[in-house]
Amino acid sequence: MGIPYQFGHICFQEALHCLRSALTLRRHQSLKSYVLFIDLVKVFDSIQHEVLYKMLFCKYGLPESLVDVINKLYNSSYIQLSLGKIMESVPYKTGVQQGDNMAPLLFLFVMQAVIQILKDALQANQNTDTSQMIKAD
């Protein structure tokens, strides 16, 4: 499941060069350009589970039974906190589980949905064609 316009395997300088070249070309053609940088440092920890479940079912059409299994896996997870002799369990309601084999795939589903939402919003507001160049590091 590859994204044809993703190029996370090349270094930042090359990505910056590609971006500058694309913006220069668009400027010479008198085309509007927008650039959005998203810091993905804590993105694995910030995905809300309820949004993830709705997106998997409604946007990508995963069977409800599969979404329910993912829901049960995440809803049965707790974080154990201890302060001295005091122990507390807190429900794990946000983020994909680190070390989970399914986490990178769920993350890709979320990122693809975000990219599509941004593209749709730009096209609706500007009534023009949009393209993306995605660099993940």
Side-chain angles (χ1 to χ4, degrees), residues 60-121:
Y60 293 110
L62 266 64
E64 189 173 357
S65 57
L66 180 58
V67 176
D68 285 343
V69 168
I70 295 169
N71 187 353
K72 288 176 184 173
L73 287 171
Y74 277 86
N75 281 337
S76 63
S77 297
Y78 289 85
I79 300 170
Q80 186 106 15
L81 301 173
S82 64
L83 180 60
K85 294 182 180 182
I86 301 172
M87 298 275 269
E88 179 104 19
S89 292
V90 179
Y92 189 73
K93 295 193 181 267
T94 306
V96 293
Q97 297 176 2
Q98 303 298 317
D100 179 14
N101 291 336
M102 193 171 37
L105 182 61
L106 294 174
F107 171 74
L108 288 175
F109 274 123
V110 171
M111 288 308 299
Q112 185 61 38
V114 168
I115 291 164
Q116 189 62 50
I117 289 167
L118 290 172
K119 183 177 181 178
D120 292 347

Side-chain angles (χ1 to χ4, degrees), residues 4-62:
Y5 41 84
Q6 180 176 347
F7 56 98
H9 61 283
I10 63 175
C11 70
F12 179 76
Q13 288 80 14
E14 291 178 45
L16 191 57
H17 174 72
C18 290
L19 178 61
R20 283 184 181 152
S21 298
L23 289 173
T24 300
L25 181 63
R26 291 182 62 82
R27 188 177 326 122
H28 288 304
Q29 296 173 352
S30 299
L31 297 171
K32 291 183 181 180
S33 300
Y34 302 91
V35 177
L36 173 67
F37 291 96
I38 302 173
D39 186 359
L40 300 178
V41 171
K42 292 287 186 182
V43 75
F44 267 85
D45 299 329
S46 62
I47 296 171
Q48 295 180 0
H49 294 168
E50 288 302 317
V51 172
L52 175 66
Y53 307 142
K54 288 178 184 173
M55 182 201 56
L56 291 173
F57 181 69
C58 297
K59 179 161 183 56
Y60 293 110
L62 266 64

